[in-house]
């Protein structure tokens, strides 16, 4: 219904619609944001320049998974002006955002802001364990993890991820519902169930019980607006971009990961790594 679709956060609309036709409806989500130690970071950085100036250590997964770039670097690439084709969902590798990202990583390594062990973190779980051990001042974290452990994080606080220009950028992951039956009566019943499950009170209750984030604005409102973290999540979910996929995504994401690895290990300069990635992509 229009009441439901108009109330979904933008990422949940965009991920499920192709050529103005609904193919799936995302019913739960998760996003990444920054966690920082209040004893080490007085004011969380909103831009790369602020982060580099602070000299506080920042960790994130940078090892890649099966050669594919982690969401943490993909977020920063998109925040630096990177794009993906809205129709095909293909990740586009372009010189300027590539150079911005890779130059930031190089500067971070040289200044000691980005420690070398980020290249051993292939998942958010590994990265979060390293943060909890106390070695880093700032780390990427999933909102669902922060939500679950918030009460125990007495010396930590939350903020948006620092980006090239300070714009709020994050990626959404989550599950969606799709109707696969060809039987008209079953289609109608399934659609009615989706509407019921995504009713604000139901979506809010299910997401809270499952430890996930709702995909409707009104469902998040049911959680309450008095809590500072809920207000923060509203901003993150409004800005979230659905994770690109589609034909050729893996190849482009592998080239991006190779460039990230080469720069963080010192095997290539940002210019060399960007050129190699673009040449491999035929750009």
């Amino acid at each position: 219904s229009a009441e439901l679709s108009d109330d979904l956060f933008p990422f949940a609309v965009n991920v499920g619609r192709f050529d103005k036709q609904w193919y799936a409806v995302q019913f739960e989500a998760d996003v990444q944001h920054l966690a920082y130690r209040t004893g080490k970071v007085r004011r969380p950085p909103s831009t790369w320049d602020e982060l580099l100036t602070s000299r506080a250590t920042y960790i994130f997964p940078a090892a890649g998974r099966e050669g594919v770039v982690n969401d943490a670097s993909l977020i920063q690439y998109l925040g630096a002006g990177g794009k993906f084709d809205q129709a095909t969902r293909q990740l586009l590798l372009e010189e300027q955002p590539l150079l911005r990202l890779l130059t930031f990583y190089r500067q971070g390594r040289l200044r000691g802001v980005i420690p070398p062990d980020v290249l051993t973190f292939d998942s958010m779980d590994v990265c979060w364990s390293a943060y909890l051990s106390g070695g880093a001042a700032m780390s990427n974290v999933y909102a669902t993890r922060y939500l679950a452990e918030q009460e125990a994080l007495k010396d930590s606080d939350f903020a948006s991820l620092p980006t090239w220009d300070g714009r709020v950028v994050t990626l959404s992951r989550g599950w969606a519902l799709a109707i696969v039956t060809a039987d008209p009566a079953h289609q109608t019943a399934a659609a009615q169930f989706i509407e019921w499950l995504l009713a604000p009170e139901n979506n809010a209750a299910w997401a809270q019980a499952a430890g996930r984030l709702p995909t409707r604005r009104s469902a998040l409102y049911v959680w309450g607006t008095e809590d500072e973290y809920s207000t923060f999540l509203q901003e993150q979910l409004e800005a979230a971009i659905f994770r690109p996929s589609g034909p050729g995504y893996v190849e482009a994401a592998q080239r991006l990961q190779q460039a990230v690895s080469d720069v963080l290990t010192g095997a290539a300069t940002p210019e060399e790594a960007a050129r190699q990635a673009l040449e491999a992509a035929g750009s």
Side-chain angles (χ1 to χ4, degrees):
S1 66
E3 179 186 1
L4 170 56
S5 60
D6 291 347
D7 190 43
L8 290 169
F9 288 106
F11 68 83
V13 174
N14 295 330
V15 75
R17 284 177 65 89
F18 299 86
D19 295 328
K20 300 181 180 180
Q21 174 69 40
W22 283 103
Y23 286 86
V25 181
Q26 189 171 345
F27 67 97
E28 56 91 4
D30 202 357
V31 294
Q32 291 186 29
H33 61 75
L34 188 73
Y36 67 94
R37 298 196 178 279
T38 53
K40 296 182 178 180
V41 179
R42 186 180 65 174
R43 185 169 67 91
S46 62
T47 67
W48 292 347
D49 285 343
E50 291 177 1
L51 174 62
L52 294 171
T53 302
S54 73
R55 299 298 180 95
T57 51
Y58 168 53
I59 60 173
F60 55 92
R65 299 297 296 271
E66 298 180 350
V68 176
V69 74
N70 300 95
D71 284 3
S73 292
L74 185 55
I75 289 169
Q76 296 296 359
Y77 175 71
L78 296 173
K83 301 180 180 65
F84 62 92
D85 190 295
Q86 294 290 332
T88 66
R89 314 298 170 94
Q90 169 65 36
L91 178 64
L92 305 175
L93 294 184
E94 298 176 307
E95 182 177 18
Q96 200 58 48
L98 259 178
L99 281 174
R100 287 171 181 156
L101 171 65
L102 299 176
T103 300
F104 162 59
Y105 279 175
R106 182 173 184 271
Q107 291 175 340
R109 281 290 294 112
L110 292 175
R111 299 188 186 190
V113 172
I114 299 176
D117 53 357
V118 296
L119 279 171
T120 68
F121 303 153
D122 64 353
S123 71
M124 290 288 285
D125 287 340
V126 175
C127 182
W128 187 241
S129 294
Y131 174 77
L132 292 180
S133 70
M138 294 175 283
S139 172
N140 283 38
V141 63
Y142 275 127
T144 53
R145 173 62 70 94
Y146 193 90
L147 194 62
E149 301 181 12
Q150 188 175 12
E151 292 301 319
L153 297 172
K154 301 301 183 182
D155 63 341
S156 293
D157 209 341
F158 55 86
S160 298
L161 291 171
T163 56
W164 170 57
D165 59 0
R167 179 169 55 96
V168 177
V169 181
T170 190
L171 280 178
S172 161
R173 280 181 175 266
W175 289 97
L177 296 164
I179 299 174
V180 297
T181 178
D183 183 283
H186 291 174
Q187 288 177 347
T188 299
Q192 290 173 345
F193 172 74
I194 290 173
E195 290 273 351
W196 177 86
L197 185 64
L198 283 168
E201 296 79 7
N202 297 337
N203 189 216
W206 188 93
Q208 195 164 42
R212 307 296 290 175
L213 305 181
T215 55
R216 291 190 66 165
R217 296 180 177 93
S218 55
L220 188 62
Y221 185 79
V222 171
W223 279 15
T225 57
E226 298 176 358
D227 178 55
E228 185 180 358
Y229 191 60
S230 294
T231 302
F232 170 76
L233 287 177
Q234 170 85 28
E235 178 186 42
Q236 299 299 306
L237 292 170
E238 289 287 0
I241 304 168
F242 69 88
R243 192 172 180 273
S245 57
Y249 170 75
V250 171
E251 290 82 357
Q254 287 174 334
R255 295 184 188 106
L256 180 55
Q257 176 58 33
Q258 187 63 55
V260 168
S261 296
D262 286 347
V263 168
L264 286 176
T265 59
T269 66
E271 292 77 14
E272 291 169 343
R275 183 177 66 252
Q276 292 167 5
L278 293 171
E279 288 175 351
S283 300

